[in-house]
Amino acid sequence: MIEMKILSPTGTIFDGAVAHATFPGEAGSFAVYSLHAPLISTLKRGEIVYFPARARANAATSATAPASTTATTTTTVSATATAFEAQSIAIESGFVEMLNNILTVCIEQPKQLQP
C-alpha cells in the first residue's frame, strides 16, 4: 500500500492508504504503484483516480465431510482481503511527489468545485 495525501489551498482532500493512483501529468498520464521509484511531476487539468484500501473482516469457514464416510475433515480458513473502489477528483493543476512509498499531491481544483 501507498500512503497518499491530497492537499489543496482549502485543506486536506484525502489522507489514507491506496493501492495505486493515476495522474494527468504534463508529459502524459501515469500510474503510481507501491514501491514506485521516487519521482516529482507537474500535473495538468484532468482527473486523479485513486483506489483507497478498505480492509474487510476476517472470514472463517468450516467444512465437514458427509456422515456416510468414516473420516471427518474440518478446514478453517482465515484471511484478510482488501477491496478497492475507484475514486476520482478533478484538478486544474498541481504536482505530485512519490518518496519512500508516500505520495504527496498538491492540487488546484477547478473554480466550480472549490468550497
Side-chain angles (χ1 to χ4, degrees), residues 23-41:
F23 299 94
E26 288 285 343
S29 66
F30 62 94
V32 176
Y33 290 84
S34 187
L35 303 176
H36 195 284
L39 71 80
I40 295 177
S41 178

Side-chain angles (χ1 to χ4, degrees), residues 26-110:
E26 288 285 343
S29 66
F30 62 94
V32 176
Y33 290 84
S34 187
L35 303 176
H36 195 284
L39 71 80
I40 295 177
S41 178
T42 54
L43 303 174
K44 65 179 184 177
R45 178 183 294 149
E47 188 173 64
I48 297 172
V49 179
Y50 56 100
F51 296 81
R54 292 189 182 95
R56 289 189 282 198
N58 287 345
T61 60
S62 179
T64 305
S68 61
T69 63
T70 57
T72 301
T73 305
T74 303
T75 305
T76 303
V77 178
S78 180
T80 300
T82 305
F84 306 110
E85 187 176 309
Q87 293 189 10
S88 64
I89 183 166
I91 68 166
E92 195 63 34
S93 64
F95 66 90
V96 60
E97 177 192 48
M98 172 67 160
L99 183 62
N100 297 326
N101 231 29
I102 298 172
L103 261 175
T104 305
V105 186
C106 296
I107 64 164
E108 287 284 339
Q109 291 181 286

